[in-house]
Amino acid sequence: VQFVRTYLVVLERFALMIADVAFPFAAERSSTAALPRVGDGVMLLDASQRVEYASPNAVSALHRAGVQANAVGMRLAAIGFDDHPVRLAFESAAPATEEIEQVPEVIVLVRCLPLLRGGKVSGGVVLVRDISELRRRDRMLLSKDATIREIHHRVKSNLQTISSLLRLQARRLESAEAKAAVEESVRRIRTIALVHETLSRDVGDDIDFNDILLPLAAMVEEGLQSPDRPVRLRLSGDAGRLSANVATPLAVVLTELLQNAVDHAFVDGRPGTISVDMANDGSTLAMTVSDDGVGLPDGFRIEEATGLGLSIVRTLVTTELLGTIEMARADPGTVVSLRMLIPDSYG
Ligand SMILES: Nc1ncnc2c1ncn2[C@@H]1O[C@H](COP(=O)(O)OP(=O)(O)OP(=O)(O)O)[C@@H](O)[C@H]1O
Ligand SMILES: [Mg+2]
């Protein structure tokens, strides 16, 4: 009964305002965004801004905003609720709307409509709505880029975890061959992690390949660091910005080629240089990895190479990069050349 009476009172006062042409409020006839909804909590305030009535939905919205005290008979500020929109509405005799976040992640939309009588504010209706979920979704939409970055970041972290576990496992292995095989896997996983790390820093899905190349080169050089291995790594050219779809397999291919040079070209401890050259003319990407080591074995053909490294390279070049790769003896050493067309549309 009390509900009905309260609503009737409010309705009557709005009716008087409509008769006075004071309602709807001039400023907001076109705005629909902040229109009241059926589920809104409603509070009725008297002329001194004290709560005369609070609907169950209003009480629960206040609870979610961290206000536990009974609102009836109190000013909102006195029970710990930010009453800025109410003061604003009472002072300006016009409606005021604000989003209030008193408890982290809990956002309450507060809308105060002043009730006017003879041009004076005689009370107010406060509509409250919990819009936390709505705002959370907005925020997620706004930060799609951030979300993608976060995913890459997680993929990178997971890969690093896997590679650490493998490294621990390699340490326990007795067989040198098994140890080497697991360490190879560690290196391959680290390369992919490196790409995801780069992607997690860059917005969008294309990346400056140098951001991968330099840390990758540092990683290879780390493996070269020993006095009995005077091998140098030299980089030239620039691959520019590449789509992640291209950069990821390309980084893996490059790692395999560098590793092969490290593993096979300087077997006898001879000194030497490994060179990487990249060129991007906007439509074609060319990459050359050369070394001045011992050279390929006699009768070597990349198409027939059965090692895992070159199998990975062949597969990625033909199925992911849609390019071609050639390996040839140089004098001295080996030259590997990769060419591919750059896809027009990234994504
Ligand atoms: N830069 C190079 N100089 C000399 N020989 C090379 C070079 N790159 C590759 N090879 C030869 O090609 C072979 C096949 O290489 P591939 O990467 O497929 O296998 P792997 O390096 O032996 O093993 P994995 O890469 O699986 O650890 C090598 O064993 C080596 O004989
Ligand atoms: Mg290899």
Side-chain angles (χ1 to χ4, degrees):
V1 180
Q2 196 231 333
F3 285 5
V4 176
R5 211 183 318 126
T6 309
Y7 283 116
L8 285 178
V9 168
V10 174
L11 213 65
E12 194 185 295
R13 292 168 77 171
F14 272 117
L16 287 172
M17 286 166 67
I18 293 167
D20 280 356
V21 204
F23 185 85
F25 294 100
E28 55 166 15
R29 262 161 224 174
S30 59
S31 127
T32 55
L35 280 181
R37 305 265 164 84
V38 175
D40 284 0
V42 182
M43 286 182 279
L44 184 62
L45 307 185
D46 65 15
S48 63
Q49 302 180 20
R50 278 174 217 283
V51 178
E52 279 180 13
Y53 164 77
S55 77
N57 281 355
V59 172
S60 80
L62 288 177
H63 279 183
R64 280 196 294 275
V67 175
Q68 304 302 330
N70 188 354
V72 175
M74 309 287 284
R75 286 166 173 242
L76 288 174
I79 55 168
F81 191 74
D82 183 351
D83 69 345
H84 188 252
V86 173
R87 280 184 279 124
L88 210 65
F90 273 67
E91 278 161 23
S92 62
T97 306
E98 262 172 45
E99 290 181 15
I100 290 172
E101 184 170 2
Q102 298 207 140
V103 172
E105 307 287 307
V106 178
I107 301 162
V108 180
L109 180 75
V110 179
R111 185 166 159 67
C112 182
L113 305 168
L115 293 170
L116 308 177
R117 186 174 287 155
K120 285 219 165 156
V121 180
S122 63
V125 174
V126 178
L127 302 171
V128 286
R129 189 193 313 161
D130 185 345
I131 55 164
S132 314
E133 184 59 20
L134 194 76
R135 286 292 169 267
R136 199 178 61 80
R137 254 182 261 146
D138 281 358
R139 250 181 244 164
M140 273 171 60
L141 277 177
L142 276 175
S143 66
K144 183 169 152 262
D145 278 347
T147 310
I148 292 172
R149 279 202 298 272
E150 177 61 20
I151 291 169
H152 283 301
H153 179 76
R154 286 183 187 194
V155 172
K156 181 210 76 175
S157 304
N158 291 343
L159 289 172
Q160 281 177 340
T161 308
I162 294 169
S163 94
S164 308
L165 289 174
L166 282 176
R167 201 174 305 142
L168 286 176
Q169 203 168 29
R171 251 182 241 161
R172 289 164 180 249
L173 288 171
E174 300 279 316
S175 141
E177 196 185 350
K179 238 183 165 78
V182 176
E183 271 160 9
E184 283 286 293
S185 303
V186 168
R187 184 179 51 71
R188 284 173 179 135
I189 294 167
R190 275 180 71 192
T191 310
I192 300 171
L194 202 67
V195 178
H196 282 287
E197 165 155 38
T198 311
L199 289 167
S200 74
R201 275 188 269 114
D202 245 305
V203 190
D205 81 341
D206 61 325
I207 36 184
D208 186 345
F209 197 69
N210 277 329
D211 290 349
I212 295 174
L213 183 62
L214 299 180
L216 197 141
M219 200 167 90
V220 173
E221 268 175 333
E222 226 174 82
L224 291 176
Q225 228 112 75
S226 81
D228 54 320
R229 260 180 177 248
V231 176
R232 296 189 35 205
L233 185 61
R234 194 184 291 154
L235 306 175
S236 61
D238 193 349
R241 291 191 80 78
L242 298 174
S243 131
N245 299 339
V246 171
T248 312
L250 191 66
V252 175
V253 166
L254 178 60
T255 312
E256 290 303 326
L257 298 177
L258 288 174
Q259 196 61 42
N260 275 353
V262 171
D263 289 348
H264 308 297
F266 308 103
V267 271
D268 47 4
R270 66 164 78 190
T273 306
I274 305 170
S275 311
V276 179
D277 182 63
M278 318 260 312
N280 179 349
D281 67 4
S283 60
T284 318
L285 179 75
M287 178 173 87
T288 326
V289 179
S290 49
D291 64 71
D292 52 6
V294 294
L296 294 164
D298 286 335
F300 175 91
R301 280 169 54 81
I302 184 177
E303 298 80 15
E304 291 157 9
T306 53
L308 182 55
L310 288 180
S311 302
I312 292 174
V313 167
R314 271 199 314 259
T315 309
L316 292 179
V317 170
T318 52
T319 66
E320 299 283 313
L321 300 174
L322 308 178
T324 57
I325 188 157
E326 282 164 22
M327 284 179 85
R329 281 193 91 124
D331 198 16
T334 307
V335 184
V336 189
S337 343
L338 184 152
R339 293 181 71 77
M340 61 169 288
L341 293 176
I342 296 168
D344 309 329
S345 60
Y346 285 151

